[in-house]
Each structure stands twice: as C-alpha cells, then as structure tokens.
Amino acid sequence: MSTKRLSIVIPAYNEEKFIGTLLEQIRAVDLSSVGVEREILVIDDGSRDRTAEIASAVPGVRVERQIPNQGKGAAVRRGLALATGHYVIIQDADLEYDPNDYVPMLRRLLRGDVEVVYGSRYLRPGLGALRGFVAAKHPNQSWAAYLGGRSLSLAAWLACGVRISDTVTALKLFPREVVCPLPLETTGFELDHEITARLAAEGRRFAEVQISYFPRSRAEGKKIGFKDFLRALRTFRRYRRR
C-alpha cells in the first residue's frame, strides 16, 4: 500500500492549556494501518497566550500565526490553503475530541463509496429513535448545547437535503480535492455549516462514524453560543444551492 498524507488542520485561539496535550495525542496515533502519514498544521488565530509557543516546540508541527484574531473560519480556511495532504481533517484545539478516531474515519473514507466523513458524537447504532436521542447526550454536556446541535442537524436536512446526525462536529474528513477548491467565504464558527451546505449542493456523498466526545463548559473555555446557532441557520439557507 502506497503511503498517503493526512493534513490535520487545527484552528487555535488561546488554547495554551490544551494544545500541547492534543498535539502529543495526535503524534501518538498509529496511522500505518491505513497507509497514511501525518502533516500537522496549527493556525494560531491571534492568541494572547502561549498557544503558538507551545505548539512550535512540538516536533513535526507547522505553526502559522494570523494577527489580529480573525475567527475560527478564517483560521480553517488558511489551514486548508496550506494543506498538502491527500486527505484533510479539521480538529479543534481543545481536548473534546479523541485523535484516535482518525483511524476509523479514514477507514470509512477509504472504502471509496463516499467523499465526506463526519465524526458523529450522537450516533447510537442499535437503539430506537427515542432511546437513541436520549442516550446520545454526553455527560457534562448541557441540554442547551445538545438540543442546539441536534436542531442544526434537522436544519441541514431541511435546507440542504443532507441527513447528518452531527453537522456541528469538529472532526470532519475529506479528500483534499473535495474540500480545498470550495470558494469558502465565512470567517466564524459558521464555516462548519458553509462547508456542509456547499458539499451538499455539489451532491457529495456523506457518511458518519461514531466518535468519542468529552465536552467542556463555557467556564473551561467553550466559545460557541446562541448567536452562533442563528448564524448557522442563515448560513444553511445562504449556501444551500450552487
């Protein structure tokens, strides 16, 4: 099996508490079973702490700084522009997501029948609709955050025709030639939804893989809120057609 490269794009803003641990976790993931090597790109979005310094000290990590702070979406777009891998995965800089989930996501993509793989926090195979809905809420995750995320999955279906249990997931995997040519415009958290809407408008085939999730609170640094929910709804409507 020829070795291909996975570009891991990590937008980061004031994540000095988590970025070092995350990068070590990423470097420890064994990608050899899927014939993939890694490229790690940290886009420091105008952090006022030691995020860039800590990331720069980790071997094999490329750090790019954008000053002033321009938003998560702008950081992701810059990372996509710099990515050189055959595949690209977007990973938040906190510790809510487990990099070991890259492997099952890559395996799903490499089956060749889909072009986009989202890591779902909410898939519960084998459970009925009601039991699955209740069981999918993670410990320490607020009901507001949970219901907001599930509502956006419904909005994605209604606006874009794509059935995804977790469109807000921060683990999204694509072939580079699928995601990097997108004419992305948004600069905030709504970029997640712009990507989903544009890919759905192109008729791309989606799949989901169940992943681990360790939610943090606003006191621990969670940055997304109700205004982002409203922006997401507008974003789905704006980009739902080519």
Side-chain angles (χ1 to χ4, degrees), residues 21-239:
T21 301
L22 172 69
L23 293 173
E24 292 302 332
Q25 288 179 353
I26 290 173
R27 295 178 70 239
V29 176
D30 182 7
L31 298 176
S32 62
S33 64
V34 286
V36 172
E37 63 184 17
R38 81 199 83 224
E39 172 185 60
I40 306 174
L41 301 168
V42 174
I43 312 301
D44 181 77
D45 187 28
S47 295
R48 298 187 300 271
D49 62 7
R50 297 176 59 245
T51 296
E53 177 185 345
I54 293 170
S56 296
V58 179
V61 175
R62 177 178 177 181
V63 178
E64 295 287 331
R65 302 197 70 184
Q66 55 183 30
I67 299 174
N69 175 268
Q70 299 171 40
K72 177 185 176 181
V76 170
R77 286 167 56 189
R78 185 167 181 187
L80 293 177
L82 295 170
T84 65
H86 300 83
Y87 314 109
V88 179
I89 195 164
I90 301 170
Q91 159 89 59
D92 273 4
D94 54 30
L95 298 179
E96 290 191 325
Y97 295 82
D98 185 352
N100 285 296
D101 287 317
Y102 297 172
V103 174
M105 292 177 68
L106 281 163
R107 285 186 177 138
R108 182 64 186 89
L109 184 65
L110 292 171
R111 284 166 53 181
D113 58 332
V114 298
E115 299 156 295
V116 183
V117 176
Y118 282 9
S120 175
R121 300 166 292 176
Y122 303 135
L123 282 181
R124 293 296 182 272
L127 297 180
L130 181 58
R131 286 183 62 201
F133 183 84
V134 174
K137 178 185 172 296
H138 291 261
N140 301 323
Q141 184 181 27
S142 71
W143 276 103
Y146 175 64
L147 294 175
R150 301 310 300 268
S151 297
L152 289 178
S153 295
L154 176 62
W157 177 42
L158 295 175
C160 308
V162 60
R163 303 192 72 161
I164 301 170
S165 68
D166 190 8
T167 185
V168 193
T169 178
L171 275 186
K172 294 179 169 70
L173 173 67
F174 326 83
R176 183 177 178 275
E177 68 268 17
V178 168
V179 68
C180 289
L182 294 176
L184 300 172
E185 298 175 339
T186 54
T187 59
F189 290 107
E190 69 271 22
L191 185 81
D192 279 335
H193 314 298
E194 181 185 355
I195 289 174
T196 299
R198 286 191 183 275
L199 292 174
E202 290 185 353
R204 300 294 185 176
R205 296 163 295 172
F206 288 74
E208 291 185 287
V209 171
Q210 184 178 2
I211 61 170
S212 303
Y213 182 54
F214 308 95
R216 62 177 180 170
S217 67
R218 295 190 70 85
E220 294 171 310
K222 194 74 171 177
K223 302 178 180 74
I224 200 163
F226 182 66
K227 290 183 180 179
D228 297 293
F229 176 85
L230 298 178
R231 290 191 189 99
L233 297 179
R234 292 195 295 267
T235 301
F236 282 136
R237 293 189 60 188
R238 180 178 179 184
Y239 297 106

